[in-house]
Amino acid sequence: MDSKWSRRTGSLLLLLVSNLLLCKSTASLPICPSGAVNCQVSLRDLFDRAVILSHHIHKLSSEMFNEFDKRYTQGRGFITKAINSCHTSSLSTPEDKEQAQQIHHEDLLNMVLRVLPSWNDPLYHLVTEVRGMQEAPDAILSKAIEIEEQNRRLLEGMEKIVGQVHPGIKENEIYSVWSGLPSLQMADEDARLFAFYNLLHCLRRDSHKIDNYLKLLKCRIIYDSNC
Amino acid sequence: MMVSLHEQQSESLIHSLEQEKGVNMKENVASMIVFLLLLFLNIRLLKGQSPPGKPFIFKCRSPEKETFTCWWRPGADGGLPTNYTLTYHKEGETITHECPDYKTGGPNSCYFSKKHTSIWTIYIITVNATNQMGSSVSDPRYVDVTYIVEPDPPVNLTLEVKHPEDRKPYLWVKWLPPTLVDVRSGWLTLQYEIRLKPEKAAEWETHFAGQQTQFKILSLYPGQKYLVQVRCKPDHGFWSVWSPESSIQIPNDFTMKDITVWIFVAVLSTIICLIMVWAVALKGYSMVTCIFPPVPGPKIKGFDTHLLEKGKSEELLSAFGCQDFPPTADCEDLLVEFLEVDDSEDQQLMPAHSKEHSGPGMKPTDLDPDNDSGRGSCDSPSLLSEKCEEPQANPSTFHTPEVIEQPEKPKANVTHTWDPQTISLVGKMPYLSVNGSKSSTWPLLQPGQHNTNSPYHNIADMCKLATSLDKIDKDALQSSKTTEAAGEEKATKQREVESSHSKAEQDTGWLLPKEKPPFISPKPLDYVEIHKVNKDGALSLLLKQKENGDQTGKAGTPETSKEYAKVSRVMDNNILVLVQDPGAQNVALFEESTKEAPPSPSQNQAEKDLSSFSTAPSDCRLQQGGLDYLDPACFMHSLH
C-alpha cells in the first residue's frame, strides 16, 4: 500500500510539473486576464486563424459576385437598384478608418459578433436556392457552400476570442434579421435575379467589413499597432 | 347710270388693287422674315459652336483606401468653353454634393479627401459639361471605394551584395511600403513581388515576396549588371505599377567558394575510386568467389559429362540405368549387389598388376606379397583395370573422363564392361562413409537380392568407401594402400578415391543413387575380407582371392563355393555387421567359427555381431606377411 501511494504521489507530482512547464511555454499575452481558466490557446493563434478565415470568406464572396454578375446580370444596371438594400445596414458600423480606430476594440468585436450571425440564415438559404436554380452553376454553388461553412467556423473562433479578451461579457443577442427569402423565391425571373444580385452584393461588402475589422483588431491587440 | 357703272368699275378696280397690295405686302414680309432667318443661321453655322458632348468618367482609384480620385474624359467640345462640374451623392443620402477638389488630381479629375470618403458606401457620381450652347450630363458611375484600391509602388528599393562567412554570397533586396499606405494599423495588408534580370536579358525573373519587405537572391551570374523592380498589392485590390529600376553590378567572385568545394569533392571522389579499383584488382578473384560462389558440377550417379558433350544421350541414360522412372531402388539394394562375392578370373591379374605398378610413387615395403590379398578393395576385375590405369595419367586428380579414356590401355586381360559411370559412382561411395553422421547411410545388405546379378563394381565401391574411411588416418591409408596388394594401381586408386573424396566433400550433397547403378556384367567375386578396422571404426575391406590357401589355412574356405559376406547393417560406431548368406556353403566357415566361440543362436544377433566384430580382429587375424586381415568366416559363427 505504501509503495502504491508513493507511486501515485510521484506520478501526480510529475503531472503537475509537466503541466506547469507546458503552461509556461504557451505565449500568454497581457490581454489574457489572470482570472481566466481556459487561457490555453494563445490569442495570437486565435487571431491569426480568424484573419485567415475572414480573408478567405471575402475572397470567395468577391469571386462569387463577379461570376454571378458576368453570367446573369451583366449590363442590366442592377446596381442602380441595389442601393441601401442590405439588411445589415441598420447596424451602425464605422465607415472609415478614423471611426474604426476611435472605437474601442471591445465594441469593434461586438460589431463583428453582430454582423456575423446575421448572415447565418441568408447563407443557408442562398445555398438552397442556388441549388434549385435553373442550370445551377457549380462554381457559384460550391463557393456558397464553403462560405457558409467558414462563416460558422469564424463565428466560433470569434466567440473564443471574445471569451479571452472579455470573459465576462454578456452574450450578444443583437443581429439583423434577414427577410429576403421571399424575394429569392419569386416567380418573376428578373425580380428573382435581382434578389440574388442584391444578396451577393451585400455579402461581399459585409465580408470585407469583417475582414478589415479583424485585421485592425489583430494589429492593435497582438502587435500593438505595429504590424 | 353710266357714271354709276364707271364709278362701280373704278371702285372695284381700286378694291382689287388694294387687295393685291395687301397680299404683296404680306408676301414681302414673309420673305423678309425668311430671308433674315436664313441669314442669321448662316452666320451661326459659319462660327461652329455646339453644346458640349457627353463626358465620360473612365477611372476612379484609391491609393490607400482613405481617399480617392476620379478622372473623366470630356466629350466633344462644341467650340465653346465648357465648364465641367462633378456632382455626387452617397448611398443612403439624398443630398447631392459637388466635387471638393478639382485640382489635386490633375485636369478633369476630382479628388475626394479623407473627409469626404466613406468606405463600404456606394458613390453615385456624375459629371456635367456646360457651355454657352448647352450642357450635357455623363452617365452616372457607381463607385465603392472598397473595391478600387490600387496603391503606389514601394519606395526606397535598395540592393546589396552580401558575403556572409561560411555561406554562399547573395543579393539582398530591400524596400519600404508606399508612403501613403497605413500598414502599421492593419488598415491595409500589402503583398510584394520583385523581378530582376541581367541588363541585356529579354525576360524578367519574378519572385513573390509575401508580406516581407526584403528578399534574398542566390542564383546570380557573376560579373553581370542586374536590374531590379518591385511592386505591391493590397489584400483585396489591384497591383501597383512597377517601381523604378534599381541596378547593381554583381562582382566576379560571386561563386568562388562554390568552386573550391566542388574541386575538393572531385579530388576526393577520384581518390576513393582509385582505391576501390586497386582493391578489386588485388583481391578481385576472392571477392568474386565470395559474391558468386562457384557452381558445383552435377554429381549425379552415373552421369558422365563427357558423354553429354558428345551428345550420346542413349549412352548417358543407360549409364544412369534408368530403366524406370522414378527410380525405385534403394541405396541398400545397390550396395547389396556390391558386396556379393564373386570368383573372378582376374585372380591372376592381380600379381601381374602389382608387379607392373609397383614402381613409381608407391611404397613397396608395404606391398602385400600375399597372392590372396593381391586384390584389394579395388580388385574388381573390370573396375580395377580402369582404376589402376587412371593414376598413371593423373594421380593427383580424379576425373571421370580420364577413367573413360583409360580403358583403351593395355591390360586387356581384364575384361570389363565397366561403365565409366560407375567409376564416378565408386568415387562417390567413400563420401558416404567418411561423414560420421552418415554412418547410418551404410545401407543394409539384404540377403537374397540381386544375388546373381552382382555388379563387380559394387564391392569395389565398398572397398573404396573403406579406403576413404581410412583417409582420416593417413597412416592407415597408406597401409591400406599397400595391403591392397594390387600395388600401385590400388594405391593410386585410393588416391583417386581420396581426391575424389576430397572432391566429394566439396559437394553440397551426395546424391544417394536411387536409380539402379550401372551394371556391368556380373563377375563372381570372392568373399570380402575385413582387412582392417581402423581406430575410428573405419572398415577396410579386401576382396579375398579364391586361391588363398596361405591365408586361409584356418579358414579352409572352399574356393569353389561362393560365400557371401553381406553387411547386415552398420552400428553406431561404424561397426559393420556382416551377415552370411544362408544359401552359401559355409561348412568351412562353420568349422572356423567353432574356434572362436560356441554359437549362441539365442543371443541377440546384434550383440553377437558387435562382440564378434570387436573381437574378430584379434581372433581372426591372420598374420600374413605383415598384413592383417579379417576373415569373414571368423565371425560367421557368431551370426548364427
Side-chain angles (χ1 to χ4, degrees):
Chain A
M1 268 309 276
D2 225 352
S3 65
K4 214 180 178 183
W5 181 248
S6 60
R7 237 181 288 156
R8 274 190 193 163
T9 49
S11 58
L12 206 65
L13 274 170
L14 192 69
L15 215 65
L16 271 170
V17 168
S18 65
N19 270 338
L20 284 169
L21 287 168
L22 284 168
C23 270
K24 257 195 168 177
S25 66
T26 50
S28 58
L29 297 157
I31 201 74
C32 199
S34 52
V37 178
N38 287 343
C39 205
Q40 292 298 322
V41 182
S42 75
L43 202 64
R44 176 194 296 245
D45 292 339
L46 281 175
F47 260 111
D48 282 342
R49 183 142 177 80
V51 162
I52 288 167
L53 277 173
S54 66
H55 183 99
H56 187 53
I57 289 168
H58 174 68
K59 189 154 150 273
L60 286 172
S61 307
S62 194
E63 285 169 12
M64 189 163 65
F65 176 81
N66 289 331
E67 275 171 31
F68 181 86
D69 191 30
K70 193 170 79 176
R71 193 178 165 132
Y72 293 101
T73 59
Q74 188 72 41
R76 296 257 215 125
F78 278 0
I79 188 66
T80 59
K81 294 190 272 178
I83 303 292
N84 206 29
S85 55
C86 291
H87 67 287
T88 51
S89 34
S90 59
L91 301 170
S92 60
T93 53
E95 294 289 300
D96 59 22
K97 190 178 109 179
E98 279 73 25
Q99 286 180 27
Q101 283 184 326
Q102 277 159 21
I103 296 179
H104 195 255
H105 60 260
E106 291 176 9
D107 298 328
L108 205 55
L109 275 171
N110 282 338
M111 270 173 221
V112 171
L113 281 179
R114 272 183 231 143
V115 174
L116 273 177
S118 308
W119 278 100
N120 286 338
D121 207 29
L123 281 171
Y124 172 78
H125 288 290
L126 176 70
V127 170
T128 322
E129 295 307 317
V130 167
R131 252 202 209 110
M133 260 174 91
Q134 240 176 14
E135 314 158 8
D138 280 337
I140 294 171
L141 179 63
S142 63
K143 286 188 175 78
I145 292 166
E146 196 173 345
I147 289 168
E148 194 205 348
E149 192 185 327
Q150 304 294 357
N151 200 63
R152 222 179 308 125
R153 282 210 207 130
L154 181 59
L155 189 56
E156 287 169 18
M158 286 315 301
E159 281 164 3
K160 277 205 185 82
I161 288 172
V162 168
Q164 280 196 21
V165 174
H166 303 292
I169 204 164
K170 204 168 57 177
E171 192 70 27
N172 203 343
E173 302 274 344
I174 307 168
Y175 67 95
S176 292
V177 178
W178 179 66
S179 57
L181 184 58
S183 330
L184 283 181
Q185 295 166 332
M186 274 160 85
D188 183 15
E189 191 63 27
D190 266 3
R192 195 148 158 265
L193 278 177
F194 173 70
F196 273 110
Y197 179 92
N198 196 46
L199 186 64
L200 293 177
H201 164 261
C202 293
L203 177 63
R204 177 166 78 143
R205 172 187 289 179
D206 281 350
S207 58
H208 189 279
K209 259 191 202 173
I210 289 161
D211 185 40
N212 219 149
Y213 296 162
L214 285 178
K215 279 169 181 166
L216 275 173
L217 283 168
K218 177 180 140 187
C219 282
R220 205 197 288 181
I221 294 171
I222 309 292
Y223 297 96
D224 200 19
S225 298
N226 196 13
C227 269
Chain B
M1 226 47 92
M2 291 291 267
V3 173
S4 64
L5 269 172
H6 279 291
E7 282 180 4
Q8 283 183 351
Q9 283 181 349
S10 63
E11 279 180 13
S12 63
L13 265 167
I14 293 164
H15 198 66
S16 61
L17 274 170
E18 280 178 358
Q19 279 184 348
E20 278 183 36
K21 248 191 185 173
V23 167
N24 279 343
M25 282 239 0
K26 280 184 189 169
E27 284 177 8
N28 277 342
V29 167
S31 63
M32 276 292 285
I33 291 168
V34 167
F35 177 71
L36 279 170
L37 272 169
L38 281 168
L39 197 67
F40 192 61
L41 211 63
N42 260 335
I43 294 164
R44 256 201 169 180
L45 280 168
L46 282 169
K47 275 193 180 172
Q49 287 175 351
S50 64
K54 204 157 82 170
F56 175 66
I57 304 167
F58 67 94
K59 185 175 178 182
C60 290
R61 175 178 165 264
S62 167
E64 77 289 79
K65 208 161 74 176
E66 295 171 50
T67 68
F68 73 104
T69 314
C70 280
W71 293 270
W72 67 84
R73 204 179 294 117
D77 200 0
L80 292 165
T82 321
N83 198 15
Y84 294 99
T85 54
L86 187 141
T87 54
Y88 68 92
H89 72 273
K90 286 204 250 182
E91 175 185 0
E93 289 177 2
T94 50
I95 309 160
T96 309
H97 307 270
E98 198 184 333
C99 173
D101 187 339
Y102 288 101
K103 306 281 189 224
T104 313
N108 296 331
S109 73
C110 180
Y111 171 77
F112 295 81
S113 60
K114 285 188 190 179
K115 202 169 72 162
H116 298 97
T117 309
S118 302
I119 320 294
W120 304 297
T121 317
I122 297 178
Y123 283 69
I124 301 107
I125 303 167
T126 52
V127 173
N128 269 331
T130 324
N131 68 2
Q132 275 185 352
M133 298 297 294
S135 66
S136 58
V137 179
S138 68
D139 291 331
R141 187 170 171 103
Y142 297 83
V143 174
D144 191 335
V145 179
T146 320
Y147 311 119
I148 59 165
V149 182
E150 184 189 328
D152 294 325
V155 295
N156 283 21
L157 180 61
T158 57
L159 307 171
E160 192 181 339
V161 176
K162 290 232 171 191
H163 295 270
E165 291 177 12
D166 304 333
R167 271 189 294 178
K168 289 171 71 173
Y170 59 89
L171 175 66
W172 199 36
V173 186
K174 253 176 43 169
W175 61 87
L176 288 177
T179 46
L180 295 172
V181 174
D182 182 8
V183 189
R184 293 172 77 113
S185 69
W187 184 244
L188 269 185
T189 309
L190 291 177
Q191 291 177 322
Y192 304 97
E193 198 176 67
I194 68 164
R195 70 176 186 182
L196 66 148
K197 68 166 185 176
E199 195 176 16
K200 305 257 169 66
E203 301 233 332
W204 288 92
E205 180 188 329
T206 313
H207 297 278
F208 185 71
Q211 293 179 17
Q212 58 195 24
T213 55
Q214 54 173 354
F215 202 76
K216 287 181 194 168
I217 299 168
L218 297 166
S219 57
L220 290 169
Y221 296 112
Q224 294 233 9
K225 187 178 172 193
Y226 272 85
L227 304 171
V228 183
Q229 285 184 313
V230 63
R231 67 174 182 175
C232 61
K233 171 185 176 302
D235 40 357
H236 304 289
F238 301 101
W239 281 104
S240 71
V241 296
W242 287 103
S243 68
E245 284 176 2
S246 275
S247 64
I248 189 162
Q249 180 76 27
I250 309 294
N252 276 326
D253 62 342
F254 197 64
T255 54
M256 179 73 88
K257 213 170 175 185
D258 241 1
I259 291 169
T260 50
V261 168
W262 283 115
I263 288 167
F264 176 71
V265 166
V267 166
L268 201 67
S269 53
T270 44
I271 289 167
I272 290 166
C273 278
L274 285 170
I275 290 167
M276 279 171 63
V277 164
W278 172 75
V280 165
L282 276 185
K283 310 210 173 165
Y285 182 68
S286 59
M287 276 168 57
V288 166
T289 49
C290 188
I291 296 165
F292 303 110
V295 179
K299 300 278 187 178
I300 304 165
K301 176 179 168 188
F303 185 78
D304 186 9
T305 52
H306 202 67
L307 269 186
L308 188 68
E309 287 166 18
K310 283 183 186 172
K312 296 179 183 173
S313 58
E314 287 177 4
E315 292 179 13
L316 195 74
L317 288 174
S318 63
F320 282 121
C322 296
Q323 272 108 23
D324 57 316
F325 188 80
T328 52
D330 287 335
C331 217
E332 303 168 347
D333 295 341
L334 301 171
L335 288 175
V336 166
E337 301 160 5
F338 293 168
L339 282 176
E340 284 174 356
V341 177
D342 169 39
D343 52 352
S344 88
E345 61 264 22
D346 300 7
Q347 295 167 15
Q348 293 94 16
L349 179 67
M350 306 323 299
H353 278 268
S354 60
K355 283 176 193 167
E356 286 178 31
H357 298 285
S358 61
M362 294 314 299
K363 302 194 178 164
T365 55
D366 291 336
L367 275 174
D368 186 11
D370 190 3
N371 288 337
D372 291 342
S373 59
R375 222 190 294 178
S377 56
C378 311
D379 272 353
S380 63
S382 54
L383 174 63
L384 180 64
S385 59
E386 293 198 28
K387 293 279 186 193
C388 294
E389 287 158 9
E390 284 176 39
Q392 290 173 17
N394 227 349
S396 58
T397 59
F398 176 76
H399 284 297
T400 322
E402 287 180 15
V403 173
I404 299 161
E405 293 158 14
Q406 305 262 336
E408 286 78 60
K409 286 204 175 179
K411 324 223 165 123
N413 300 346
V414 179
T415 60
H416 63 91
T417 57
W418 186 253
D419 203 302
Q421 272 70 14
T422 59
I423 294 168
S424 59
L425 173 68
V426 171
K428 301 292 179 291
M429 297 296 285
Y431 179 74
L432 248 182
S433 54
V434 169
N435 293 340
S437 58
K438 292 197 179 175
S439 58
S440 54
T441 58
W442 194 275
L444 184 66
L445 288 175
Q446 294 176 11
Q449 285 187 9
H450 305 289
N451 288 341
T452 54
N453 211 15
S454 60
Y456 202 81
H457 64 276
N458 290 333
I459 294 181
D461 290 347
M462 291 294 292
C463 297
K464 276 238 177 252
L465 257 167
T467 57
S468 68
L469 287 173
D470 288 342
K471 195 195 174 228
I472 297 162
D473 186 355
K474 299 292 179 185
D475 298 337
L477 186 65
Q478 246 186 353
S479 53
S480 66
K481 279 184 195 176
T482 57
T483 51
E484 283 190 51
E488 193 175 344
E489 61 265 30
K490 287 187 199 169
T492 51
K493 228 186 235 183
Q494 281 204 334
R495 276 184 292 174
E496 295 159 20
V497 172
E498 291 169 41
S499 54
S500 70
H501 164 69
S502 63
K503 266 209 172 193
E505 275 181 357
Q506 285 180 7
D507 295 347
T508 53
W510 152 246
L511 299 169
L512 281 176
K514 291 295 177 183
E515 313 139 333
K516 291 191 184 251
F519 290 126
I520 55 164
S521 60
K523 305 266 173 171
L525 303 173
D526 212 341
Y527 44 77
V528 180
E529 297 177 356
I530 309 250
H531 151 67
K532 181 178 170 181
V533 177
N534 205 354
K535 54 189 173 191
D536 292 351
L539 182 70
S540 65
L541 298 174
L542 299 171
L543 276 175
K544 192 172 172 185
Q545 286 191 357
K546 287 184 183 174
E547 295 176 353
N548 47 6
D550 300 339
Q551 299 172 356
T552 59
K554 275 196 218 171
T557 51
E559 292 98 35
T560 55
S561 70
K562 300 194 181 182
E563 296 170 4
Y564 299 86
K566 300 182 184 176
V567 180
S568 67
R569 62 183 179 283
V570 178
M571 302 299 286
D572 304 1
N573 306 331
N574 284 350
I575 297 168
L576 195 66
V577 178
L578 296 175
V579 172
Q580 186 194 4
D581 186 10
Q585 300 175 4
N586 323 348
V587 174
L589 295 173
F590 278 124
E591 281 180 344
E592 271 213 34
S593 64
T594 53
K595 293 179 198 171
E596 295 297 313
S600 51
S602 60
Q603 273 187 343
N604 186 1
Q605 193 162 14
E607 289 177 23
K608 279 292 180 184
D609 296 345
L610 267 172
S611 56
S612 62
F613 191 79
S614 54
T615 55
S618 56
D619 298 332
C620 297
R621 192 159 289 158
L622 296 169
Q623 294 292 328
Q624 194 100 39
L627 298 175
D628 289 342
Y629 72 94
L630 286 171
D631 196 341
C634 283
F635 40 79
M636 280 304 173
H637 67 281
S638 63
L639 303 175
H640 297 297

